[in-house]
Amino acid sequence: MRRLSRETRAQVVALLSEGIAINAITRVAPVFKPTVLKLLTDLGPVVAAYQGEVLRDLALTRVQVDEIWAYVGMKAKHVPAERRG
Protein backbone atom coordinates (compact mmCIF):
# COMPACT_ATOMS: atom_id res chain seq x y z
CA MET A 1 0.00 0.00 0.00
CA ARG A 2 1.33 3.40 -0.96
CA ARG A 3 1.38 6.16 1.67
CA LEU A 4 0.70 9.81 0.97
CA SER A 5 3.57 12.19 1.42
CA ARG A 6 3.37 14.71 4.24
CA GLU A 7 2.99 17.51 1.69
CA THR A 8 0.05 15.81 -0.04
CA ARG A 9 -1.68 15.10 3.28
CA ALA A 10 -1.19 18.73 4.29
CA GLN A 11 -2.62 19.87 0.96
CA VAL A 12 -5.71 17.65 1.35
CA VAL A 13 -6.28 18.79 4.94
CA ALA A 14 -5.92 22.44 3.91
CA LEU A 15 -8.46 21.95 1.12
CA LEU A 16 -10.86 20.19 3.49
CA SER A 17 -10.55 23.00 6.02
CA GLU A 18 -11.40 25.51 3.28
CA GLY A 19 -14.64 23.66 2.63
CA ILE A 20 -13.66 22.29 -0.78
CA ALA A 21 -15.78 19.33 -1.91
CA ILE A 22 -14.17 15.90 -1.78
CA ASN A 23 -14.67 15.33 -5.50
CA ALA A 24 -12.98 18.66 -6.20
CA ILE A 25 -10.06 17.72 -3.94
CA THR A 26 -9.49 14.56 -5.98
CA ARG A 27 -9.16 16.73 -9.07
CA VAL A 28 -6.78 19.24 -7.45
CA ALA A 29 -4.60 16.86 -5.43
CA PRO A 30 -3.28 13.60 -6.88
CA VAL A 31 -5.38 11.35 -4.61
CA PHE A 32 -8.36 9.06 -4.96
CA LYS A 33 -11.70 9.69 -3.23
CA PRO A 34 -11.39 6.72 -0.81
CA THR A 35 -8.00 8.07 0.24
CA VAL A 36 -9.48 11.49 1.05
CA LEU A 37 -12.32 9.86 2.98
CA LYS A 38 -9.88 7.69 4.96
CA LEU A 39 -7.72 10.71 5.79
CA LEU A 40 -10.82 12.61 6.89
CA THR A 41 -11.93 9.68 9.06
CA ASP A 42 -8.48 9.43 10.65
CA LEU A 43 -8.35 13.18 11.20
CA GLY A 44 -11.68 13.41 13.08
CA PRO A 45 -10.59 12.00 16.46
CA VAL A 46 -7.34 13.98 16.33
CA VAL A 47 -9.19 17.25 15.78
CA ALA A 48 -11.74 16.39 18.48
CA ALA A 49 -8.96 15.68 20.99
CA TYR A 50 -7.17 18.91 20.08
CA GLN A 51 -10.32 21.01 20.44
CA GLY A 52 -11.20 19.24 23.68
CA GLU A 53 -7.91 20.28 25.25
CA VAL A 54 -7.18 23.65 23.68
CA LEU A 55 -10.63 25.21 23.39
CA ARG A 56 -11.48 25.14 27.09
CA ASP A 57 -12.24 27.88 29.60
CA LEU A 58 -12.07 30.63 27.00
CA ALA A 59 -12.96 34.13 28.17
CA LEU A 60 -15.29 34.99 25.32
CA THR A 61 -17.62 37.92 25.11
CA ARG A 62 -18.87 37.16 21.62
CA VAL A 63 -19.10 34.02 19.50
CA GLN A 64 -19.80 33.96 15.76
CA VAL A 65 -21.26 30.74 14.44
CA ASP A 66 -21.74 30.59 10.69
CA GLU A 67 -24.09 28.33 8.76
CA ILE A 68 -25.35 26.44 11.81
CA TRP A 69 -28.63 28.34 11.90
CA ALA A 70 -29.94 26.16 9.07
CA TYR A 71 -29.74 23.07 11.27
CA VAL A 72 -30.93 24.45 14.60
CA GLY A 73 -34.62 24.48 15.37
CA MET A 74 -37.23 23.92 12.71
CA LYS A 75 -38.23 25.41 9.42
CA ALA A 76 -41.47 27.39 9.58
CA LYS A 77 -43.52 24.73 7.81
CA HIS A 78 -42.51 22.07 10.39
CA VAL A 79 -43.20 24.06 13.57
CA PRO A 80 -46.04 22.48 15.58
CA ALA A 81 -49.08 24.69 16.23
CA GLU A 82 -48.33 24.95 19.97
CA ARG A 83 -44.84 26.35 19.28
CA ARG A 84 -45.77 28.95 16.66
CA GLY A 85 -45.27 32.60 17.47
Side-chain angles (χ1 to χ4, degrees), residues 60-82:
L60 303 175
T61 57
R62 191 173 167 177
V63 176
Q64 178 179 344
V65 183
D66 293 336
E67 299 177 13
I68 290 184
W69 65 269
Y71 302 103
V72 176
M74 294 172 261
K75 300 289 184 183
K77 65 182 179 179
H78 298 295
V79 176
E82 64 271 6

Side-chain angles (χ1 to χ4, degrees), residues 1-13 15-16 21-23 25-27 29-44:
M1 175 194 258
R2 193 171 77 93
R3 295 211 178 251
L4 291 178
S5 68
R6 180 176 283 190
E7 293 79 22
T8 304
R9 281 183 287 165
Q11 180 185 16
V12 170
V13 170
L15 292 169
L16 285 168
I22 292 172
N23 286 334
I25 291 172
T26 62
R27 290 189 296 270
V31 294
F32 293 106
K33 186 174 181 178
T35 306
V36 175
L37 294 173
K38 172 81 167 73
L39 181 60
L40 184 58
T41 302
D42 293 343
L43 192 62

